[in-house]
Amino acid sequence: MSTRLAAALGAVALLAAVPAGPARAHEGHDHGAAQPPVSKTVAPRGEAFSDAFELVAIPRDGTLTLFLDRFRTNEPVTGATIEVETPEGPRTASATPGGGYTLTAPWLSRPGRHDLVATVTAGDAVDVMPVTVTVPADAGAAIPAEPAAARAALARVSEAGRGVRQRLGAGDPILVGAVAVAFLLGVLVTALARGRRGVPTAALIAVGITLVLGTAAFAHGDDDREAPVQGAALTGTRPAAPSASDLAQRLPDGSVFVPKPTQRLLALRTTMTERGSFHRSVELPGRIIPDPNASGVVQSSVGGRLSPPPSGLFPRLGTRVRKGEILATVTPPIQAVDVSDMRQTQGDLDQQISIVERRVDRYRRLALTGAVAQTQLDDALAELKGLQDRRTALDRIRREPEPLVAPVDGVVAQAAAVAGQMATPGQMVFQVVDPSRLWVEALSFDALAAAQDATARLADGRTLKLAYQGSGLADRNQAIPVQFAVQGDASGLRVGQFVTVLAGTDTEQAGLALPRAAVVRAGNGQDVVYEHTTAERFEARPVRVEPLDGGRVLVAEGVGPGKRVVTQGAELLDQVR
């Protein structure tokens, strides 16, 4: 019995040489790198997808919330029927105002793995999607004190054994000294037990306890030990973990986690990339010009003073006018010399008219008796009429101004009319343009093929489809003027407005066509697109893009075919931190 007691005390002394808890590393040693913390702001969830749909299941408070989207476009599917095979039998989810579906699930109170099968019916499409939801154990559940203490003791013993092996292998002088002391103590106790069997066992136990209490000096002389959490050892419960919620966040690996409810708010949409061959496009500076067949200018043929039209008001900018409508009048000025000549001419005409009138009267009386031939009377009447017309035209020149009329139907694009203003011959007073028929004139340094399509991009991002009309043979500023007709809706365009023309060439290149909104500029100035890797995770992919047309770019490198890329909401997604 004494021998066994001595051996036990030696083992106690040996274990006492090892720190009771995990000691901090000495300088130059490493106890293992800490694992990165797991985000506590993401609730447990399950995912499933097929060629048509993508399903996310989120358990919370005894309710299973389902979000159903189109797999290719990430568009929410509303009005669908979702039947779920649960541990308690089949259940049908009900739609919510937010575009999701909910299902009462009391079985979610049991932690563990729950395998579900969801049958989705949306229109003519029917799909069966298995989804697994894992409910973690309640973080606030009580743990029995005795099993917890037993597990803690086993863990400490195991940790002590590993520490002893490591430090013995490393030749730790402290541990070697402790082993020697333990051996000598065992020999001494054995000798005392054989010589004096009456040595109180309590004294030997006291020696062992003293050695155990002195082991604190073997670790680090002035290291602090971490105090246990108050209440944890007394009550046998773990500290309560913070409740999980869904928050959009950028993960340590650079990807972005966006829960489905947030995706609905941001209106994120995706498309499936497909490789194709496209004509290379070139960017040309251009401006809006009026269609020469649907526009015109109003000019004065003679110099004179401008006056309002019969309506009394000059047409203002933007006023719609009809072809032939009088827009203004020009009264030509008459010089003093001209006035004198006109008066002299009027006097001569009046005298001649008086003479011819008397002759006509005489011929009429003589023609009745046959003394004068009828032909002489007719000649006199014709001469009288000619003199009267000349006299009337002379009066009209002095009284009637020149009317300025609209050459085409349209709106007044330019107006330079002021009452009393003197207009010179050939001066433009009004410009009338049909706003539904506009052209674009661009300057190109290369000859463009007539059959290639072109688009124009405005400063606000709007695009216009253009049809090639022709190009000039004479250079303008060492460039070739090329004209295109605007097709479709031309509302909001202004004559002279600058645009960027993207015209196709004969050169073909392969790549992926994506909307311009899909490409965002990262903080380092590099172009990136966001790939939809899983239902609620997006990853930024650096890409190299080239212009394709007014609304699309060509991705030459960075993303392959068959990937889901965000085409709407990428700018908002890039702001998630």
Side-chain angles (χ1 to χ4, degrees):
M1 178 65 68
S2 299
T3 305
R4 289 196 297 270
L5 179 61
L9 290 176
V12 170
L14 179 62
L15 292 176
V18 184
R24 297 179 184 177
H26 295 279
E27 182 179 358
H29 292 181
D30 188 7
H31 289 172
Q35 296 296 328
V38 179
S39 175
K40 294 182 174 59
T41 60
V42 178
R45 62 226 307 117
E47 299 179 3
F49 66 90
S50 63
D51 294 339
F53 303 110
E54 186 175 57
L55 183 67
V56 174
I58 304 176
R60 184 181 288 115
D61 300 332
T63 302
L64 184 65
T65 304
L66 303 173
F67 293 95
L68 184 65
D69 297 328
R70 301 287 180 184
F71 180 76
R72 296 177 64 92
T73 64
N74 201 45
E75 181 182 359
V77 179
T78 58
T81 302
I82 303 179
E83 297 180 357
V84 183
E85 291 290 340
T86 69
E88 298 181 355
R91 297 289 187 272
T92 301
S94 58
T96 61
Y101 302 85
T102 58
L103 180 69
T104 303
W107 42 268
L108 287 176
S109 59
R110 299 191 300 271
R113 177 188 176 100
H114 301 279
D115 294 327
L116 311 176
V117 177
T119 303
V120 179
T121 304
D124 298 334
V126 179
D127 213 335
V128 178
M129 308 175 69
V131 59
T132 299
V133 177
T134 301
V135 179
D138 188 2
I143 302 176
E146 292 183 359
R151 285 195 297 269
L154 290 176
R156 293 179 58 171
V157 171
S158 177
E159 180 68 21
R162 286 196 298 269
V164 168
R165 288 194 298 270
Q166 293 177 0
R167 294 171 67 177
L168 285 176
D172 191 345
I174 296 177
L175 184 60
V176 172
V179 172
V181 172
F183 176 76
L184 294 177
L185 181 60
V187 173
L188 178 61
V189 170
T190 302
L192 290 176
R194 289 180 178 179
R196 292 185 180 180
R197 298 184 180 274
V199 176
T201 306
L204 299 179
I205 297 176
V207 174
I209 294 176
T210 302
L211 292 175
V212 172
L213 294 178
T215 55
F218 286 106
H220 308 299
D222 52 358
D223 284 354
D224 295 334
R225 295 292 175 237
E226 297 180 359
V229 179
Q230 294 182 0
L234 297 178
T235 62
T237 60
R238 287 194 291 262
S243 60
S245 60
D246 291 337
L247 296 177
Q249 56 188 294
R250 190 172 293 272
L251 302 180
D253 60 356
S255 61
V256 180
F257 171 80
V258 182
K260 279 299 180 180
T262 307
Q263 294 184 31
R264 306 293 176 87
L265 294 177
L266 300 181
L268 299 182
R269 298 293 182 267
T270 62
T271 186
M272 193 71 70
T273 57
E274 298 179 358
R275 182 171 295 275
S277 180
F278 307 91
H279 288 279
R280 179 177 173 271
S281 299
V282 293
E283 292 189 358
L284 309 175
R287 62 186 182 92
I288 303 294
I289 63 173
D291 185 346
N293 299 317
S295 63
V297 295
V298 180
Q299 298 175 327
S300 174
S301 60
V302 296
R305 192 175 303 277
L306 289 175
S307 301
S311 61
L313 296 174
F314 290 113
R316 60 183 180 274
L317 292 176
T319 302
R320 183 167 291 278
V321 297
R322 306 290 297 176
K323 181 179 180 179
E325 182 179 347
I326 298 177
L327 307 181
T329 58
V330 177
T331 303
I334 302 177
Q335 303 295 331
V337 177
D338 298 334
V339 173
S340 176
D341 293 340
M342 291 177 63
R343 289 178 179 176
Q344 181 179 357
T345 304
Q346 287 178 352
D348 294 340
L349 290 175
D350 292 341
Q351 182 180 4
Q352 294 178 15
I353 290 174
S354 178
I355 295 173
V356 174
E357 285 178 347
R358 288 195 300 269
R359 185 189 306 166
V360 169
D361 290 341
R362 187 169 59 254
Y363 282 172
R364 284 176 178 172
R365 290 193 301 269
L366 295 176
L368 295 176
T369 61
V372 177
Q374 184 63 32
T375 56
Q376 292 180 341
L377 177 59
D378 294 339
D379 293 342
L381 290 173
E383 183 180 358
L384 177 61
K385 187 177 183 305
L387 292 174
Q388 291 175 344
D389 292 341
R390 291 173 59 188
R391 182 65 174 82
T392 302
L394 188 61
D395 292 339
R396 188 183 300 114
I397 291 175
R398 296 187 59 183
R399 294 195 307 265
E400 293 186 0
E402 177 189 7
L404 303 181
V405 299
V408 295
D409 296 337
V411 298
V412 178
Q414 296 186 40
V418 179
Q421 176 184 357
M422 294 299 297
T424 59
Q427 176 185 353
M428 186 187 70
V429 182
F430 297 99
Q431 183 184 20
V432 181
V433 175
D434 186 351
S436 62
R437 300 175 60 182
L438 297 175
W439 284 14
V440 173
E441 184 179 66
L443 297 179
S444 173
F445 294 95
D446 298 323
L448 299 178
Q452 300 301 332
D453 296 332
T455 56
R457 187 175 69 249
L458 304 179
D460 58 359
R462 191 157 55 105
T463 60
L464 305 172
K465 187 172 180 57
L466 306 179
Y468 178 84
Q469 297 296 318
S471 59
L473 296 178
D475 288 353
R476 182 187 305 173
N477 297 329
Q478 299 182 354
I480 304 173
V482 185
Q483 292 182 344
F484 304 88
V486 177
Q487 294 182 334
D489 185 17
S491 59
L493 299 181
R494 305 183 308 275
V495 175
Q497 183 178 1
F498 290 101
V499 297
T500 300
V501 178
L502 291 97
T505 62
D506 294 333
T507 305
E508 291 188 357
Q509 55 184 353
L512 308 174
L514 290 177
R516 288 183 174 269
V519 183
V520 296
R521 186 65 58 88
N524 58 358
Q526 190 173 17
D527 293 331
V528 299
V529 298
Y530 279 91
E531 180 185 350
H532 194 183
T533 54
T534 61
E536 297 177 312
R537 179 170 294 197
F538 302 84
E539 297 184 9
R541 306 295 189 194
V543 294
R544 180 172 63 86
V545 298
E546 298 179 2
L548 184 58
D549 52 36
R552 300 181 301 170
V553 295
L554 186 69
V555 179
E557 293 180 1
V559 177
K563 304 295 184 181
R564 291 187 297 170
V565 175
V566 177
T567 58
Q568 179 179 324
E571 285 285 352
L572 300 176
L573 192 63
D574 191 56
Q575 301 302 320
V576 177
R577 294 293 180 266

